[in-house]
Amino acid sequence: MALNMRSYWAGLKAVLVFTVIVIVYTFLMTGIGQLGMPDKANGSMVTNASGQVVGSSLIGQSFVDKDGNALPQYFQSRPSAASDPNLPEDQTDNVNYAANASSGTNKGHQDEDLIKSVTELRSEIAKREGVSVKQVPADATTSSSSGLDPNISPEYAAIQVRRVAKERGLTEEQVEQQVKKYTTGRGLGFVGEPVVNVVQLNLALDNLQ
């Protein structure tokens, strides 16, 4: 009986100790985050010129009208497989980067549906941007693994500059400067590829006008 009580007491003490450790660790990390990098700790939120939160620099957005057509004054994001499951059936094709629906398509490069989708989207983008089909980069027609990526390749951004500049009454040089400002290079100089944050870029363009 005494042995059992000692075992119970030892187990209780272990639970109490680890509970305190977890709580202290959580508050400690939260405090460090709030003091050292509050912007990142709070979700990397971005605001417009009025100070209103309009999203996060970590999660992509769709810049389309209610019918799913690209808004010409905005740089377009890459496709997303993360559509809100609560949308009506006739709106489920609208890409909206819903975090609660993050997922990949996991389709092989020979999948017929994927080939059809990529081919159609490539032609649509080429027509919209006034370029050849060969100039449309892969990320313009395929979703990221999470379906929430806010970034596009510099190549995809480059073919959109002319359209955006024309729609906003800006020079191409002005738009290119903003693209460059929101382009991030390779991590540590060699990891990954350069990317352009579409959410931040479009917000910056709105704030120019």
Side-chain angles (χ1 to χ4, degrees):
M1 183 66 178
L3 180 61
N4 286 338
M5 288 300 297
R6 285 199 299 270
S7 297
Y8 292 145
W9 178 235
L12 178 60
K13 287 193 293 185
V15 170
L16 292 174
V17 169
F18 282 111
T19 299
V20 170
I21 289 175
V22 169
I23 293 174
V24 171
Y25 175 81
T26 300
F27 277 98
L28 179 62
M29 291 299 102
T30 300
I32 291 175
Q34 291 297 328
L35 291 174
M37 52 187 76
D39 177 63
K40 291 182 172 60
N42 292 323
S44 299
M45 309 306 287
V46 292
T47 57
N48 58 21
S50 301
Q52 178 184 9
V53 174
V54 293
S56 168
S57 62
L58 303 177
I59 299 179
Q61 295 183 23
S62 294
F63 296 93
V64 298
D65 61 22
K66 63 179 181 179
D67 296 317
N69 300 312
L71 293 171
Q73 70 272 34
Y74 288 109
F75 279 86
Q76 293 301 302
S77 309
R78 67 185 303 179
S80 171
S83 294
D84 190 337
N86 296 316
L87 283 175
E89 290 185 5
D90 61 344
Q91 297 181 31
T92 53
D93 288 337
N94 290 347
V95 177
N96 55 11
Y97 294 84
N100 63 335
S102 175
S103 65
T105 57
N106 298 321
K107 293 180 180 179
H109 67 282
Q110 294 183 334
D111 182 270
E112 292 184 1
D113 290 337
L114 178 62
I115 294 173
K116 182 176 182 292
S117 173
V118 168
T119 300
E120 292 177 350
L121 191 53
R122 182 172 287 152
S123 297
E124 178 185 326
I125 293 172
K127 181 179 180 181
R128 185 180 72 216
E129 308 302 345
V131 298
S132 70
V133 172
K134 292 182 178 180
Q135 288 177 276
V136 179
D139 67 297
T141 61
T142 55
S143 63
S144 65
S145 58
S146 68
L148 305 176
D149 194 347
N151 303 312
I152 59 175
S153 66
E155 292 76 18
Y156 188 23
I159 66 173
Q160 300 187 63
V161 168
R162 183 185 307 167
R163 166 178 53 80
V164 172
K166 179 180 178 181
E167 290 294 329
R168 289 180 177 270
L170 301 172
T171 66
E172 291 185 26
E173 289 74 17
Q174 287 176 301
V175 176
E176 287 171 348
Q177 287 176 0
Q178 294 301 313
V179 171
K180 183 177 181 180
K181 182 177 180 180
Y182 293 101
T183 298
T184 303
R186 293 181 174 86
L188 302 177
F190 66 91
V191 179
E193 296 294 332
V195 293
V196 181
N197 190 296
V198 179
V199 174
Q200 292 180 308
L201 173 58
N202 282 334
L203 181 60
L205 289 170
D206 281 346
N207 290 338
L208 282 179
Q209 300 175 308

